[in-house]
Amino acid sequence: MIKKAVFFLGLYSIIGYAQDTDTQFRLNPSIDYKINKKWKVAFDYRYALEKDISTFQASNFQLALTYKIAKSLSLEAGYRFSTSFERDNHRFFAGLTYDYKLKRFTLSSRTRYQFTTQSFDADFMSEYKAPVQFLRQKFTVNYNLPKSKFSVYTAAEFFMKLEQPQTALNRMRYQLGSDYQMKFGNTIGLSLLYEDRINATKTDRFILTAKYNLSLDEMLKKVRKQKKKKLAQEPL
């Protein structure tokens, strides 16, 4: 009880101290399907609220394809469409992820390049709104709790903005979260992210995310396994 009180008091102090920080919320359902040992496809949807969780920010639709190069190394590429009341955005991204498992720990490093534009019109991109390009580096430590379906993780991510005359650090993100593995390939999770923007004119933000993922191939495997078990138990 004391530990919980200290935690919430500390969190309240951080939020109270960051008076210029916006509190946002994201609802993030997703589904993925492992085609074979090498390929996996995933679809994500995200509904986001901003201005202290009072105003609609944007809806994002994302499709990604992952190729497993080796046991610990995978390559990802995808497209994301973002729409809001003010503008639409198109984003292409590609990344390389390395995972290292150490007993109950999983250490991950992800390097991603992303290209975002409001329009593919050449005149628009050259005269009005140039594409925004980032190089992102994310480090994650995940821990599976003993005798539990829960896992906890923490992550740090750095955003390098690629622009002329030079590339510069644009923002940093720090995340703490937990996932719970349910039956039939279902996973639910909750995380808190703090984004620290280098540009002082932009508002920093806390982002609370509730997510749900369905691994379709895992669900189908377990359904088939249960059917076989029932058939084996039926009398001849």
Side-chain angles (χ1 to χ4, degrees):
M1 188 68 182
I2 296 175
K3 291 182 179 180
K4 289 183 179 180
V6 171
F7 171 77
F8 285 111
L9 181 60
L11 184 60
Y12 177 79
S13 299
I14 293 172
I15 296 174
Y17 176 77
Q19 295 179 359
D20 295 330
T21 301
D22 185 28
T23 302
Q24 302 180 1
F25 175 75
R26 293 176 177 177
L27 181 63
N28 186 196
S30 62
I31 184 171
D32 61 64
Y33 180 73
K34 191 174 181 181
I35 302 170
N36 51 41
K37 293 182 179 180
K38 294 286 187 180
W39 293 95
K40 183 173 75 172
V41 62
F43 174 77
D44 293 69
Y45 171 72
R46 189 173 77 195
Y47 181 83
L49 299 173
E50 62 177 353
K51 296 180 181 178
D52 294 330
I53 319 180
S54 65
T55 305
F56 171 75
Q57 182 187 43
S59 282
N60 297 327
F61 304 86
Q62 179 174 298
L63 185 65
L65 189 63
T66 302
Y67 176 73
K68 202 169 187 65
I69 302 172
K71 183 179 179 180
S72 301
L73 195 64
S74 59
L75 182 66
E76 180 189 38
Y79 165 76
R80 192 185 82 173
F81 175 70
S82 178
T83 181
S84 67
F85 294 132
E86 298 178 357
R87 67 179 66 90
D88 295 339
N89 281 324
H90 304 273
R91 174 178 296 177
F92 295 93
F93 60 89
L96 190 66
T97 301
Y98 177 78
D99 296 320
Y100 178 74
K101 291 188 177 182
L102 183 63
K103 295 183 179 180
R104 292 188 173 275
F105 287 94
T106 301
L107 312 177
S108 299
S109 172
R110 187 191 71 186
T111 305
R112 173 180 285 185
Y113 166 78
Q114 68 182 39
F115 174 99
T116 306
T117 181
Q118 291 182 27
S119 172
F120 295 109
D121 183 82
D123 293 333
F124 177 85
M125 288 191 289
S126 62
E127 298 181 15
Y128 301 101
K129 187 69 175 178
V132 179
Q133 301 179 69
F134 278 104
L135 186 64
R136 302 166 56 170
Q137 181 62 52
K138 185 176 184 180
F139 300 100
T140 305
V141 178
N142 187 88
Y143 178 71
N144 292 316
L145 299 178
K147 300 179 181 180
S148 172
K149 295 183 179 180
F150 278 100
S151 63
V152 293
Y153 61 89
T154 183
E157 187 171 16
F158 305 87
F159 287 66
M160 302 296 295
K161 192 172 184 180
L162 308 178
E163 61 180 359
Q164 297 298 330
Q166 63 181 4
T167 298
L169 179 64
N170 180 266
R171 70 191 68 179
M172 295 175 289
R173 286 180 176 177
Y174 309 98
Q175 188 176 19
L176 182 65
S178 178
D179 291 333
Y180 178 75
Q181 300 285 338
M182 300 188 295
K183 294 182 178 180
F184 299 102
N186 294 281
T187 303
I188 57 174
L190 192 66
S191 69
L192 179 65
L193 180 150
Y194 174 67
E195 182 176 87
D196 181 14
R197 303 194 180 193
I198 304 304
N199 188 340
T201 61
K202 294 184 178 179
T203 305
D204 296 339
R205 53 183 180 167
F206 282 99
I207 304 174
L208 180 65
T209 300
K211 65 180 183 179
Y212 164 77
N213 176 257
L214 171 63
S215 293
L216 189 57
D217 56 296
E218 289 294 329
M219 183 191 73
L220 294 175
K221 285 179 183 177
K222 291 182 179 180
V223 169
R224 287 194 291 265
K225 187 176 179 180
Q226 282 197 349
K227 285 184 177 180
K228 289 182 179 179
K229 187 176 180 180
K230 287 182 179 180
L231 288 172
Q233 292 175 348
E234 289 180 359
L236 299 176

